[in-house]
Every structure is written in C-alpha cells, then in structure tokens.
Amino acid sequence: QKEVEQNSGPLSVPEGAIASLNCTYSDRGSQSFFWYRQYSGKSPELIMSIYSNGDKEDGRFTAQLNKASQYVSLLIRDSQPSDSATYLCAVNIPPGNTPLVFGKGTRLSVIA
Amino acid sequence: EAGVTQFPSHSVIEKGQTVTLRCDPISGHDNLYWYRRVMGKEIKFLLHFVKESKQDESGMPNNRFLAERTGGTYSTLKVQPAELEDSGVYFCASSPGLDYGYTFGSGTRLTVV
C-alpha cells in the first residue's frame, strides 16, 4: 500500500512563530513532492514543489526533503493568521506518469 | 490565464438518480485528473486522462462511474445510479505534464440523499 502520512493536527502556533509541518511517504522511489494549502471550503492550492534532497525556499515558505529518511517538511516563518488552513502533502509514486497521492492534511491554526 | 473550472459547484440528488459533473481544464494542459474527498478522508484519485485517452482509471470505485474527455478538452464524470456513499467533494485538476504540480478546480460538492 503506497501511502503518504501526515499528522492531522490541529497544529496551533502563535503569530510570528515558525510552523513546522511534516510528511512521510512509503515508496522509496518517489521523485516529486508537493505542498498544497487548502482553506476551508476551497480547492487545494499549490504552494511548493521539491524534487531534490535539501531545502528549497520561497518567501516565508521552506520545503525540506530527505529521501533517505523518506520525509518531506514545510516550514512557515513569521506565521500569520491568514496561514491558517489545511496543508496537504502530495507525492508522485513511481513508475512513470502516475497520479499524485495525497496525505490527509495537517490543519494549522495561527493564533493572533 | 483561466483556471480549472468545474460545474456545478453543488449538487443534491436522490439515491438512484444520475448526476453529471463537468470540468474544463486549463487550456493546453494534456493531463486531467479526477479526485474525490469523502468527509474526514484524504483526497483520493479516481481517474487520469492524457488528452482524450484514459491513462489510469484504477481509482474508479465501480462501474456506476463513467468519465469521458471527448476531443481532449473538457471532461465529464457521470454517476449513475448515485448511491449515498458517493457523497463528497469531487475535484478536477489539470497539469501540463509529468513532474508538474496540479492546478485544482473549486470542486463539486455532491450530496446524495
């Protein structure tokens, strides 16, 4: 069973703090990793993609990938109340052009 | 650039009726996906089109679900006859190709009563 696991939360952080969201995946051959943000009642919105080990930064967001340990994380610096949403981890499971597998998502609440 | 458009946004139907959902992907995106989220569960894959061809339909729950993508443009997902367990949010997404993230539509919330 190919799986993507996330802690469902809720994860509560104070405004201005760093929020750390984690995701593990089961297939060691996975190559593409994505983070989506989903506000309540809305569609998932792509915020980060990462393909290589290490860190990738985009504004206040940093994605971290460790293929040896099979985890990918998302850090949100200077968290704002507007960051409160569910964050979905999605992984491309090989081989080939196979559809993304999503985790259940982690609900983040940033407290003002 | 127009996003992925889904219609209708909401649908309430009785058990046994038929419902057809429509998705218009981003122009030029060959890959079109249907996903479904049932309350409290993760977003689950249903079907993948590459242009007009079904690349992968391993996620389709049963033969009450029929998807088409005539001409490789918009897609429809028909549920006939609908059952109570079909209730959920049906998302369509499109992508230009492998290793790209998907752009999701706003979803169709289907309620079968």
Side-chain angles (χ1 to χ4, degrees), chain B:
Chain B
E1 166 180 88
V4 177
T5 305
Q6 290 189 246
F7 181 85
S9 57
H10 295 82
S11 180
V12 180
I13 61 172
E14 293 184 351
K15 176 182 173 181
Q17 289 186 321
T18 297
V19 62
T20 300
L21 314 180
R22 172 169 170 146
C23 169
D24 287 75
I26 291 173
S27 178
H29 282 195
D30 288 341
N31 293 273
L32 186 150
Y33 305 85
W34 284 99
Y35 281 80
R36 176 174 71 175
R37 186 163 199 165
V38 174
M39 181 78 73
K41 303 286 187 181
E42 65 269 32
I43 294 175
K44 284 279 199 181
F45 167 75
L46 296 177
L47 179 78
H48 171 203
F49 283 100
V50 177
K51 298 185 180 179
E52 68 275 8
S53 299
K54 291 177 184 175
Q55 175 81 5
D56 183 349
E57 52 185 329
S58 61
M60 296 287 261
N62 51 59
N63 59 10
R64 296 185 293 103
F65 289 74
L66 176 63
E68 295 180 329
R69 191 182 182 194
T70 306
T73 55
Y74 72 90
S75 175
T76 58
L77 178 65
K78 180 189 288 188
V79 184
Q80 178 182 31
E83 298 289 344
L84 299 179
E85 64 264 25
D86 301 332
S87 297
V89 182
Y90 289 76
F91 289 106
C92 175
S94 71
S95 167
L98 184 64
D99 283 344
Y100 289 84
Y102 303 166
T103 301
F104 279 83
S106 55
T108 295
R109 182 173 295 276
L110 175 65
T111 303
V112 183
V113 297

Side-chain angles (χ1 to χ4, degrees), chain A residues 55 75 96:
Chain A
D55 295 359
L75 302 179

